[in-house]
Amino acid sequence: MDEALLRNLRSLTPSVLTVLVRRGADFAAAEDAVQDALIEALRVWPADPPRDAKGWLVTAAWRKFLDATRADAARRRREDRVEEEPQAGPAPALDDTLQLYFLCAHPSLTPASAVALTLRAVGGLTTRQIAEAYLVPEATMAQRISRAKRTVSAVRFDRPGDVATVLRVLYLVFNEGYSGDVDLAAEAIRLTRQLAARIDHPEVAGLLALMLLHHARRAARTAPDGSLVPLAEQDRGRWDTALIAEGIGILQAALARDRLGEFQAQAAIAALHADAPTAEETDWVQIVEWYDELALLTDSPVVRLNRAVAVGEADGPHAGLAALAELDTSLPRHTAVAAYLHERAGDLATAARLYAEAAHKASNLAERDHLTRQAARLNAGRSR
């Protein structure tokens, strides 16, 4: 399958979906129509590419919506509101994606449901990916998304949601794009830049700074064979110093406003990593202090898990293991953190066993391979 074609279709989806919603289609029906149009494009475009890709998709999706509307007797009353089918031709060259993020964050939805719906409909993430981000079973997330679709099907999209929900969506899209199966990181940064240009808020700036600081290290995160490179082993000469400088400047301006939020705290941690000339010179004591602030702001178990690693670096592996013992062992990556801290403490047999166990639990192939190699490395060292 043509990957370039898939990327092109994915980039056009939010804009086409927005056009259908503006013309009166309810959200669930519009999403179904756009998906049908994308399937048709995959079939037709390789042999007969259109001159105006967006215009073609708008026309095809609108036809699919009309067909579905007429076929569903329960929706016949909506036919009076359906506008005349648009003619094929150039579509407005507007970026509707950010507006669609706000529309999906509708006041009739809870923040969690709004985030899940937007990630699925606009961000292009699968239900499995969203479930993993929320630490819930896939079936639970599927039900949440279905309920959200039913809710918004009965309302008009004339009241956009709040900034906090949109920030949460952008953050999760970036995280999945940064470490998952779908490359969405650059798109999340682009949209967050747009949002920062429109809204003067320290948390918007904090999220942009966080994204830039993480993205600056992206080239060094993987080896030429695709394997993961841990932060301590990364070639810091490959980090993008311009992005780091921009991120730190944005963060400093946000922190100066004395309205601390979770994205600013996360960005402060990322800045401390980015500012260290070597891994050994990282200011772990200050990182622990920022994790303490972040834990107060979020009460997130994932934050406390990352804090345990920082404590292990600042105060020694046994202190890190003590902090880890306070957390639920079912947390994703809990076993991998335990393996790392046991290795640091010199308990190589336990560390090797835990690395192998963590590899079995990992959902990401690159992470699974990395943990498997760690276990093999320790077992080989013990057998000599």
Side-chain angles (χ1 to χ4, degrees):
M1 187 173 290
D2 190 334
E3 292 297 326
L5 174 58
L6 285 173
R7 287 194 298 270
N8 186 30
L9 290 172
R10 187 180 296 124
S11 69
L12 290 169
T13 297
S15 184
V16 176
L17 184 57
T18 300
V19 171
L20 266 65
V21 170
R22 284 175 174 172
R23 288 183 173 147
D26 67 72
F27 190 88
E31 185 187 17
D32 290 341
V34 172
Q35 293 302 317
D36 288 343
L38 294 178
I39 293 171
E40 183 73 5
L42 286 172
R43 184 182 68 81
V44 172
W45 287 14
D48 185 20
R51 292 182 179 178
D52 176 23
K54 181 178 174 182
W56 190 101
L57 283 173
V58 168
T59 300
W62 191 250
R63 285 174 177 159
K64 299 288 185 183
F65 168 71
L66 288 178
D67 290 344
T69 299
R70 292 181 181 121
D72 188 347
R75 298 179 181 176
R76 288 189 182 278
R77 62 182 178 274
R78 297 179 186 166
E79 291 185 350
D80 293 336
R81 301 199 303 269
V82 176
E83 297 177 11
E84 183 179 343
E85 180 181 331
Q87 298 297 315
L94 299 174
D95 183 358
D96 298 312
T97 308
L98 188 58
Q99 180 183 4
L100 193 56
Y101 271 69
F102 274 95
L103 292 176
C104 287
H106 197 274
S108 64
L109 296 174
T110 65
S113 294
V115 170
L117 177 63
T118 314
L119 290 173
R120 182 71 186 90
V122 189
L125 274 62
T126 66
T127 303
R128 175 185 60 80
Q129 290 169 323
I130 302 169
E132 290 174 354
Y134 268 88
L135 310 181
V136 300
E138 184 174 350
T140 300
M141 184 54 64
Q143 292 175 352
R144 182 180 298 177
I145 294 171
S146 295
R147 285 196 300 269
K149 287 182 178 180
R150 288 196 297 271
T151 298
V152 299
S153 291
V155 301
R156 288 196 62 80
F157 281 78
D158 54 0
R159 290 187 299 153
D162 65 7
V163 175
T165 300
V166 174
L167 288 179
R168 177 64 50 191
V169 174
L170 289 168
Y171 173 66
L172 291 175
V173 168
F174 176 82
N175 278 348
E176 192 59 44
Y178 192 65
S179 61
D181 302 324
V182 183
D183 186 1
L184 296 167
E187 174 68 358
I189 291 174
R190 184 183 70 82
L191 293 173
T192 306
R193 284 190 186 278
Q194 286 189 9
L195 189 60
R198 298 180 187 184
I199 298 176
D200 182 21
H201 192 287
E203 271 295 83
V204 178
L207 178 58
L208 178 57
L210 175 63
M211 289 180 175
L212 295 176
L213 289 165
H214 278 310
H215 208 61
R217 304 200 305 260
R218 186 173 187 180
R221 291 184 71 247
T222 54
D225 62 359
S227 59
L228 291 179
V229 180
L231 176 61
E233 300 172 19
Q234 289 176 14
D235 177 2
R236 300 187 178 218
R238 299 184 65 196
W239 290 2
D240 189 328
T241 55
L243 280 185
I244 290 173
E246 182 184 4
I248 290 177
I250 292 171
L251 173 63
Q252 289 174 338
L255 291 175
R257 300 175 68 173
D258 199 23
R259 293 165 57 193
L260 184 65
E262 62 174 295
F263 294 123
Q264 294 170 74
Q266 287 190 61
I269 294 168
L272 287 168
H273 283 299
D275 203 37
T278 65
E280 293 74 22
E281 295 174 86
T282 303
D283 189 346
W284 286 105
V285 172
Q286 194 172 166
I287 287 176
V288 171
E289 292 174 354
W290 275 113
Y291 271 121
D292 289 338
E293 293 281 358
L294 190 55
L296 291 173
L297 290 166
T298 66
D299 195 30
S300 164
V302 176
V303 168
R304 297 186 184 280
L305 182 68
N306 291 332
R307 179 185 178 278
V309 176
V311 169
E313 299 290 348
D315 301 326
H318 294 290
L321 287 168
L324 187 65
E326 300 174 3
L327 304 176
D328 188 342
T329 58
S330 66
L331 273 173
R333 295 189 174 88
H334 184 286
T335 307
V337 170
Y340 173 75
L341 291 172
H342 276 288
E343 180 183 359
R344 288 279 316 282
D347 187 352
L348 303 188
T350 300
R353 175 179 60 79
L354 290 173
Y355 274 130
E357 184 181 333
H360 180 71
K361 295 178 180 178
S363 58
N364 181 282
L365 180 59
E367 183 179 353
R368 186 182 309 139
D369 290 345
H370 171 72
L371 293 168
T372 300
R373 283 193 294 272
Q374 295 294 86
R377 174 179 58 80
L378 292 183
N379 285 327
R382 291 168 52 227
S383 63
R384 290 172 187 161

